[in-house]
Structures are given as C-alpha cells and as structure tokens.
Amino acid sequence: MTDTSSFKAPKGVPDYLPPTSAEFVAVRDGLIRAARLAGYGHIELPVFEETALFARGVGESTDVVSKEMWTFADRKGQSYTLRPEGTAGVMRAVIEHNLDRGQLPVKLCYAGPFFRYERPQAGRYRQLQQVGVEAIGVDDPALDAEVIAIADAGFRALGLTGFRLEITSLGDETCRPQYRELLQEFLFRLPLDEETRRRAEINPLRVLDDKRPQVRELVADAPLMIDHLSESAKAHFDQVLGLLDALGVPYVVNPRMVRGLDYYTKTTFEFVHDGLGAQSGIGGGGRYDGLMAQLGGQPLSGIGFGLGVDRTVLALRAEGKSAGDAASCDVYGVPLGDIAKQHLVVLSARLRAAGIRTDLAYGGRSMKSAIKAADKSGARLALVLGDREVADGEIGLKDLRTGEQRQVALDDVVAEVTAALATE
Ligand code: HAM
C-alpha cells in the first residue's frame, strides 16, 4: 500500500501557497494587464497537444524537444506532450479555428503552466508559469516594437527596474540560409570537439552560445548574422530599434543571442535580470515568420513573447520589492458566544456583498486566540461582538494597527468599516 503520509509534489514542481501566492497572482495579473491594454484577447489552450505539433513547431534539434518534453501515450497509443511553450499551440488553434481569415493581426494573450523536464534549480522548474502574447498576420516593425514595449511596461508596472532588454535580428529566409553556410564554413575550420562539431552541423548558431571559455575564444571572430542581414531584414530591424528609441525603451543589441527554440526569424529578444544567478532570463520572444506555414497554415508572419512569472517574482524579491497584498482579508470577525457568532456570520456576508474582504474566527476560539488569528490574516480591522452587546445593538470596531477600539451601532457597520478602511 502507498504510504499516504509521504506524498510530495513532483520534483521541480512548485506549489504556490498563501501568503506568498499573492505575489504570484499580482505578477501574473500585472503582466496580463499590460497585454490587455494593447488589445490582446484572452486565449485558453489545452495543456497537452499532439507531440508532433511541438516537434515540428519548436524544432527537433532543440533541447526543449529532444530532452525536455513530458510525453505520454494515451490509451489508444496516440502520443501527446504537456505543452513546453505556448506559441505552437496558439498557432494550431488559430489555424484550426480560421482566426487568420478575419481581421489581422490576430492578437492573443495567455497565461498558465508549461512543462519542461529540466534539472530543477533556483528559478528553473519542471512546471513553470508564463504570460505570453502572440500577434499574427502582419509583418510590421511597429508591431515588434509594440510587443516588446508591452513586456517592458509590464515589468516596470510591477516595480521591476534591474533588467535589460537584449535584442538582435536572426535574419529572414533570404539571408539566413546563406549566413548559416558562412558560419558553418567558419566553424568547420576550427579544432572543435566531436560533439560541438555535430552541433555545428545541426544548428551552428548554438555554437556561438557555448559557455566554455575555450570555445568562446575560438568563435570570437565568427561571422555574425547581424552583419549579413538582407536589405529588407536590416531595414526592419533598424525600424524596430528606432521605434524603441522613440518609446524610450532601453535595449542592448546582442548579436550573439541564441534562443532555445528554432522558429525565430528577424527580431528576437530577451529580458535579462542580473539578480537571479544562472537562470537570468525573465522573458523572451521574437518573430516567427515561417511557423504558421510549417504547421500547415497560411504563410503568415507572427511575433510574440513569453514572460516567466516565477522568475519575475524572484527578480522582484531580489530587488527587495514585492507585489500583491499578502493579507487574506481586511476585516476579521471575533465572536464571543453563539448568538454573536450568528450575527457575525450574517454581517460578514453583508460586508462581502459590499466588496469588503471579510473573514471570522470559527470554532469557539477565545478572545485572545481570535485576535491572534485576526492579526495573522493581515486584516486592518476586527469586529468584536459579545452575546450581550447584540441586545444593545452595538459592536466593537478595533483598529488592529493601533489597538484602538470603539463601539459602533450594529446597523452602521458597513458604513463605519468602509470609512475606517478608507483612512490611511
Ligand atoms: P522561452 O524563452 O523558452 O520562450 O520561455 C520564456 C520564459 O519562460 C523564459 O524567459 C523564462 O523566464 C521562463 N522559463 C522558461 N523555462 C523555465 C523554467 N524551466 N523554469 C522557470 N521559468 C522558465 C518561449 O517559451 C516562447 N514560446 C516565447 C515566445 C512567444 N516567443 C514568441 N512567442
């Protein structure tokens, strides 16, 4: 028999518990709000899809597909995978429901869990949470700038400041293949070890991202995509940078940036926070102009981002800031007797109906333990009611910050509480 006392969450999968879950909710909602302000409609997608969708969409040679997918067969042997990222699923839904036949761009945003079988460590989870946007069907540098500016504004609205935006262009279908050849020619001339050589064959760009100092030194003079852009890709990139300047969004061009997903073309970016150690990417995204056609849809362009909610929470903490209200309620009822409790149950419902977060002490607690619970809840006010006061039509309104208590008429409680909460 299973020992039920030893159940644990799967390795690398966080639980989000009060009071700190309030930070998670505030970060997630804050990032979604930034997208909503720019007209992105909510899309809610399945957490698992056919395995082939990710293999084809994200790229067989990526770590995400080759090493990190949570894949399983259903009862009929069909292979499914827990979504490792959001873009492929959004494209599948857009194609399946013909959203791309309506007004363009199709602007969608989403939030939720994604799954990657990575080695768990601080800021790297096997179930991670992202907020993402995708804008599909218009190849306009102004849209690139919008997507990037939304992410920047979302982070800043949460109070985050210690991050930087790194940006580059990965070229388009005219210049990328030529560059790839050029880079491979360069790499094949180097004394690379067997594995790195193989990587250079499959995905030469990845070699530029190698962290080992000896490889870094070898590739220091490698040709860079940014110096070999086609005229139109270069014009596109220059316009994006010009718009970011106009928007006041600071950036650093990083021509060696390599993203972990294969679908990127042209504008590609990452938000990096230095307070996070090795897992410093708090968000990333870019254009993926060939993806829709690759997944069987029209040859439409697209751009989007995925922002890491978990890492953004950690980044805020690293800056000594926190988001959200950890208090579970504003008002806490302290009943001293059964009749008083009946009254407080009804009163709590009235306060909640007036939009005031209210909780009360259940289970016949003493005054002392009920006030302790009130403090723990983070409430600002306690309503203290004894059986005898009920007869007098009065109730004690206690300010839990100052400890001051005064009697107010039971009939006036909603107005009195509202007024007390409005004062600082
Ligand atoms: P990504 O860079 O793979 O992009 O992930 C986006 C963000 O998710 C990362 O910057 C990071 O903050 C967070 N993240 C990724 N893996 C983990 C993990 N194991 N633990 C904690 N956080 C993690 C994408 O997923 C693309 N779909 C983004 C996109 C949308 N590009 C275009 N449209």
Side-chain angles (χ1 to χ4, degrees):
M1 232 173 78
T2 315
D3 177 6
T4 51
S5 66
S6 65
F7 283 136
K8 288 201 168 68
K11 198 169 159 210
V13 176
D15 289 312
Y16 302 87
L17 308 170
T20 47
S21 52
E23 289 178 78
F24 167 78
V25 172
V27 166
R28 181 193 61 194
D29 293 357
L31 296 174
I32 294 174
R33 189 178 136 72
R36 291 259 189 289
L37 285 170
Y40 287 74
H42 187 82
I43 184 166
E44 193 72 39
L45 290 167
V47 292
F48 62 97
E49 301 261 8
E50 281 179 47
T51 301
L53 173 70
F54 301 117
R56 179 122 46 105
V58 176
E60 306 263 13
S61 78
T62 60
D63 280 357
V64 168
V65 168
S66 63
K67 298 186 193 153
E68 297 169 2
M69 295 215 293
W70 290 82
T71 297
F72 59 95
D74 75 0
R75 286 170 190 276
K76 291 196 170 146
Q78 167 75 46
S79 178
Y80 288 102
T81 292
L82 296 181
R83 58 182 188 187
E85 62 95 53
T87 313
V90 171
M91 298 311 266
R92 194 268 308 144
V94 167
I95 298 167
E96 182 175 344
H97 303 290
N98 295 318
L99 300 187
D100 53 327
R101 310 274 165 185
Q103 187 172 295
L104 299 177
V106 182
K107 293 170 86 172
L108 299 165
C109 75
Y110 51 88
F114 297 87
F115 306 86
R116 296 183 188 177
Y117 198 88
E118 295 193 77
R119 199 167 46 76
Q121 64 180 84
R124 186 162 73 192
Y125 308 118
R126 290 181 170 174
Q127 179 176 315
L128 57 121
Q129 302 274 345
Q130 280 185 11
V131 166
V133 306
E134 313 293 347
I136 297 144
V138 176
D139 182 9
D140 182 343
L143 199 53
D144 304 32
E146 172 183 284
V147 165
I148 294 168
I150 290 169
D152 183 76
F155 288 135
R156 286 184 201 283
L158 293 168
L160 203 66
T161 51
F163 64 90
R164 68 179 177 278
L165 163 64
E166 298 191 351
I167 188 168
T168 192
S169 172
L170 291 180
D172 57 23
E173 74 284 354
T174 59
C175 54
R176 175 88 148 265
Q178 285 169 20
Y179 167 72
R180 198 187 135 99
E181 268 178 41
L182 192 71
L183 180 59
Q184 277 178 328
E185 261 171 46
F186 173 89
L187 294 174
F188 292 155
R189 282 201 301 267
L190 301 178
L192 297 172
D193 59 85
E194 191 62 25
E195 200 191 326
T196 315
R197 210 182 167 71
R198 221 172 308 122
R199 204 161 342 127
E201 261 161 42
I202 302 168
N203 195 336
L205 270 172
R206 288 261 145 76
V207 182
L208 297 186
D209 190 40
D210 202 304
K211 304 281 183 282
R212 291 170 296 177
Q214 70 274 25
V215 181
R216 282 187 165 232
E217 208 173 297
L218 283 173
V219 299
D221 298 327
L224 296 172
M225 180 73 251
I226 207 146
D227 300 322
H228 296 85
L229 293 175
S230 66
E231 228 165 87
S232 75
K234 171 139 183 33
H236 185 104
F237 189 52
D238 288 344
Q239 283 183 60
V240 174
L241 297 188
L243 283 159
L244 292 177
D245 289 335
L247 284 160
V249 173
Y251 58 83
V252 199
V253 175
N254 174 5
R256 284 171 181 270
M257 184 197 305
V258 175
R259 302 269 297 129
L261 313 159
D262 269 356
Y263 47 61
Y264 291 113
T265 56
K266 292 203 267 199
T267 315
T268 309
F269 56 90
E270 232 164 41
F271 288 88
V272 180
H273 195 284
D274 285 328
L276 291 183
Q279 306 306 316
S280 59
I282 54 170
R287 278 209 160 267
Y288 42 84
D289 290 350
L291 181 59
M292 189 173 230
Q294 205 171 323
L295 295 176
Q298 305 188 69
L300 289 182
S301 61
I303 178 158
F305 64 58
L307 309 181
V309 178
D310 310 278
R311 288 191 196 165
T312 306
V313 169
L314 295 175
L316 276 168
R317 284 192 205 146
E319 290 188 14
K321 297 165 186 157
S322 87
D325 180 1
S328 60
C329 63
D330 300 311
V331 180
Y332 201 91
V334 178
L336 305 170
D338 289 340
I339 302 167
K341 188 189 281 175
Q342 265 195 22
H343 273 77
L344 272 175
V345 165
V346 176
L347 211 52
S348 298
R350 272 175 56 206
L351 286 162
R352 291 169 190 156
I356 298 164
R357 296 184 301 168
T358 309
D359 195 3
L360 71 151
Y362 292 103
R365 285 172 177 238
S366 68
M367 169 95 163
K368 197 171 154 206
S369 113
I371 290 287
K372 217 168 160 188
D375 279 331
K376 210 170 160 201
S377 76
R380 278 186 57 192
L381 303 170
L383 286 169
V384 185
L385 187 64
D387 287 355
R388 247 175 306 145
E389 286 160 294
V390 174
D392 300 338
E394 286 200 333
I395 189 166
L397 180 61
K398 187 179 170 88
D399 186 321
L400 289 166
R401 289 186 190 167
T402 62
E404 276 166 35
Q405 183 170 330
R406 63 193 169 88
Q407 296 298 109
V408 301
L410 263 176
D411 289 342
D412 297 340
V413 166
V414 175
E416 290 280 358
V417 163
T418 306
L421 287 176
T423 60
E424 249 316 297

